[in-house]
Amino acid sequence: MTLHATMPLLVFDNVAKSFTLHLRGGSVLPVIADATLAVHPGECVVLGGASGAGKSSLLKMAYGNYRCAAGAIRVRDRDRIVDLATAAPREILGLRRTTLSYVSQFLRVIPRVSARAVVEAAGREGGLGPEAARIRAGDLLARLNLPERLWALPPATFSGGEQQRVNIARGLIAERPILLMDEPTASLDAQNRAVVVDLIAEKRAAGTAILGIFHDADVREAVATRIVDVAAFRGATAA
Amino acid sequence: MEPLLTVEGLTKRYGRRLACDGIGFSLDPGEVLAVVGESGSGKSTLLSLIAGEVAADAGSVSYRMRDGETRDLDALSVVDRRALMRTDWGFVRQDATQGLRMAVSAGGNVGERLMGVGDRHYGRIRATALDWLARVEIAPDRVDDPPTRFSGGMRQRLQIARNLVTAPRLVLMDEPTSGLDVSVQARLLDMIRGLVAELGLAVIIVTHDLAVARLLSHRVLVMRAGRVIETGLTDQVLDDPQAAYTQLLVSSVLAA
């Protein structure tokens, strides 16, 4: 039996998202309608479509950052299924510790916290012991070619690419079954893009279900097991 | 899991103005709740009501005591409630002169809370005070100085040490970083963040600063004119605000 034959870890079921802009006279901005999509263990589903099509919105809904206007987002958490659209805040926080990992486009830096500590803390939140978190944080930062002299410094002064590598290490350090990635390679050079491609392949081999946005065509070709065009998720209001 | 703190229907009226109108929420151990809103939204009144410093017109606050039993705080005697505030609760105030004893040394400020829980051993109290001053990055040679000789940031750090020395499970914070220089704020916030995570504290933090809420809290309660306008996961409320007022608050922040 292949991993792909097992049950999906993440399912979007007729999901809709719109924004009501109260400061613009209450106008409603539809973003997504009728989004249906499943991600299985070992899959890397890449979201395609033009900028503004709602790719990032889908990822943010899957992490609980955005609310759903309609539909369900079902996450398999060990032996139970949780619907993110209706889950209480504490349930979503619990899923983030055990099940959902998210590599955002930009690192939200915390004053005074070193790069290594940022990554370690994510590992401990994901259930690693202090020593394991320390070792794995170092391994990941080294693999991502972040010069060791930077590890003890807060990333606030790092370049965009250096910050992004810290962000990737932070998102990958813990073993979580679902990995969401929003343009993780956008500010990386070719060498580091290749490292990220390898890391994603390793996660897939370990059975992680990955949903991501990758604008860089080479990276997309290298990591995607399937590409889903988000333009199909515009419902009846499609532009 | 049974909540640590449950607030139900908390209401306070000043004349014709409703400062708090039927506020309800619960807080789990280790959970950080930010109460955000502009001046006059009732957020500080809410904190005073929870602390029992202002009597509510209606509603209740119940707390799971260290013995595991949940008690309505109004049913506690004045002595028991004060004892709870001195041991299992902390209260970090915006104005350090209200949270500290300004004429007493830094070490004394920390030691006083320890004596409040029955410690009488001078050497041990001093050692613990020094240890806590170090944890909040106050140099040991300042232990005998009164907080009147401290900067604003140091006073806030001393307040934190004074409150945390008795290992409370719940800490109330009222705008702990406002009025400080930005660099001082960052240092204090980082310290609070680290201590809260390390000690597994439950915190209710009142702030008008959404960045503070983002950095520290799990959940947010948005207040306006005494009412809860919106509540939820912090990044959900800040990234995808639903209420018109929350959208206005979020969009009014200048991005640096």
Side-chain angles (χ1 to χ4, degrees):
Chain A
M1 192 180 75
T2 69
L3 282 170
H4 294 261
T6 60
M7 278 170 56
L9 287 169
L10 174 65
V11 174
F12 286 73
D13 186 356
N14 283 295
V15 170
K17 177 68 198 166
S18 58
F19 293 98
T20 303
L21 308 175
H22 291 291
L23 308 181
R24 296 277 178 278
S27 65
V28 176
L29 185 72
V31 179
I32 298 277
D34 301 327
T36 296
L37 150 76
V39 191
H40 294 77
E43 255 195 315
C44 179
V45 176
V46 173
L47 298 172
S51 171
K55 300 186 296 293
S56 284
S57 292
L58 281 172
L59 285 187
K60 284 178 176 162
M61 282 191 278
Y63 198 60
N65 268 29
Y66 280 4
R67 294 173 216 232
C68 289
I73 299 177
R74 286 190 284 272
V75 170
R76 182 144 61 89
D77 177 34
R78 284 156 293 188
D79 51 355
R80 66 190 190 120
I81 307 273
V82 181
D83 178 8
L84 280 175
T86 55
R90 287 173 192 140
E91 272 188 293
I92 296 176
L93 289 171
L95 287 175
R96 289 180 183 177
R97 279 190 294 272
T98 59
T99 307
L100 292 167
S101 205
Y102 177 55
V103 179
S104 57
Q105 242 170 314
F106 302 103
L107 177 70
R108 201 181 281 283
V109 292
I110 300 164
R112 300 211 314 162
V113 181
S114 75
R116 184 173 198 152
V118 166
V119 180
E120 273 181 46
R124 286 203 301 277
E125 272 166 36
L128 296 179
E131 187 59 17
R134 208 185 61 81
I135 291 168
R136 207 183 293 188
D139 289 348
L140 272 168
L141 291 174
R143 267 191 84 176
L144 286 157
N145 301 304
L146 191 78
E148 201 162 343
R149 63 187 160 75
L150 297 181
W151 295 5
L153 302 178
T157 55
F158 291 7
S159 73
E162 287 161 349
Q163 288 196 8
Q164 186 55 352
R165 281 176 275 155
V166 175
N167 209 19
I168 292 166
R170 185 170 161 269
L172 298 188
I173 184 168
E175 299 295 341
R176 297 192 182 93
I178 300 170
L179 175 59
L180 309 164
M181 307 187 95
D182 192 347
E183 297 221 46
T185 55
S187 44
L188 301 188
D189 58 26
Q191 183 199 2
N192 285 307
R193 283 203 299 274
V195 174
V196 175
V197 168
D198 287 345
L199 287 168
I200 289 173
E202 287 165 27
K203 287 285 177 190
R204 277 187 52 217
T208 305
I210 302 168
L211 181 64
I213 302 168
F214 301 90
H215 273 190
D216 186 87
D218 296 344
V219 175
R220 193 166 55 223
E221 285 308 309
V223 301
T225 52
R226 192 152 56 94
I227 294 175
V228 171
D229 188 354
V230 172
F233 301 150
R234 300 309 294 253
T237 59
Chain B
M1 181 162 47
E2 209 186 326
L4 186 65
L5 181 85
T6 306
V7 172
E8 281 175 310
L10 218 47
T11 300
K12 178 66 187 176
R13 196 180 284 279
Y14 289 114
R16 288 175 57 196
R17 193 172 66 83
L18 265 173
C20 280
D21 185 3
I23 311 290
F25 64 87
S26 70
L27 192 71
D28 279 354
E31 196 173 30
V32 181
L33 176 76
V35 181
V36 305
E38 292 175 297
S39 306
S41 61
K43 54 193 197 307
S44 289
T45 301
L46 174 62
L47 221 49
S48 302
L49 290 169
I50 292 168
E53 295 178 340
V54 170
D57 295 327
S60 68
V61 178
S62 47
Y63 182 71
R64 187 147 53 82
M65 311 292 278
R66 287 199 192 208
D67 63 8
E69 205 165 313
T70 298
R71 309 273 295 274
D72 183 335
L73 294 188
D74 273 343
L76 291 185
S77 69
V78 174
V79 173
D80 284 351
R81 186 151 188 172
R82 284 186 55 191
L84 181 72
M85 289 298 301
R86 278 204 309 262
T87 56
D88 211 21
W89 288 32
F91 199 155
V92 177
R93 293 163 200 275
Q94 176 177 8
D95 180 357
T97 62
Q98 288 176 21
L100 294 172
R101 302 237 277 148
M102 298 305 283
V104 173
S105 71
N109 264 285
V110 178
E112 189 186 44
R113 284 261 300 194
L114 278 177
M115 291 197 283
V117 296
D119 204 331
R120 290 288 177 270
H121 188 287
Y122 176 78
R124 195 165 53 220
I125 290 172
R126 190 173 170 89
T128 309
L130 277 169
D131 176 47
W132 264 100
L133 291 177
R135 288 178 79 166
V136 297
E137 301 174 17
I138 293 175
D141 62 359
R142 302 301 301 271
V143 65
D144 295 320
D145 288 350
T148 45
R149 290 202 211 136
F150 285 3
S151 67
M154 277 175 80
R155 289 179 186 184
Q156 291 309 65
R157 284 183 270 131
L158 179 59
Q159 266 205 90
I160 288 167
R162 173 177 162 92
N163 277 280
L164 297 189
V165 70
T166 57
R169 292 183 300 158
L170 173 65
V171 180
L172 311 178
M173 299 186 184
D174 189 4
E175 303 273 12
T177 60
S178 63
L180 300 175
D181 288 342
V182 177
S183 61
V184 177
Q185 264 188 32
R187 179 179 184 187
L188 186 64
L189 279 173
D190 176 49
M191 180 171 293
I192 293 173
R193 201 185 61 90
L195 287 169
V196 164
E198 182 192 336
L199 304 172
L201 298 174
V203 176
I204 303 173
I205 179 166
V206 160
T207 178
H208 67 277
D209 187 337
L210 299 181
V212 170
R214 166 95 71 182
L215 186 68
L216 294 180
S217 72
H218 301 116
R219 286 191 302 137
V220 159
L221 213 96
V222 183
M223 283 187 72
R224 185 192 195 193
R227 286 224 177 89
V228 175
I229 298 285
E230 184 163 355
T231 179
L233 198 65
T234 298
D235 51 17
Q236 200 175 68
V237 170
L238 297 183
D239 292 345
D240 189 13
Q242 305 293 301
Y245 178 68
T246 317
Q247 290 187 0
L248 179 66
L249 272 188
V250 170
S251 68
S252 304
V253 177
L254 292 175

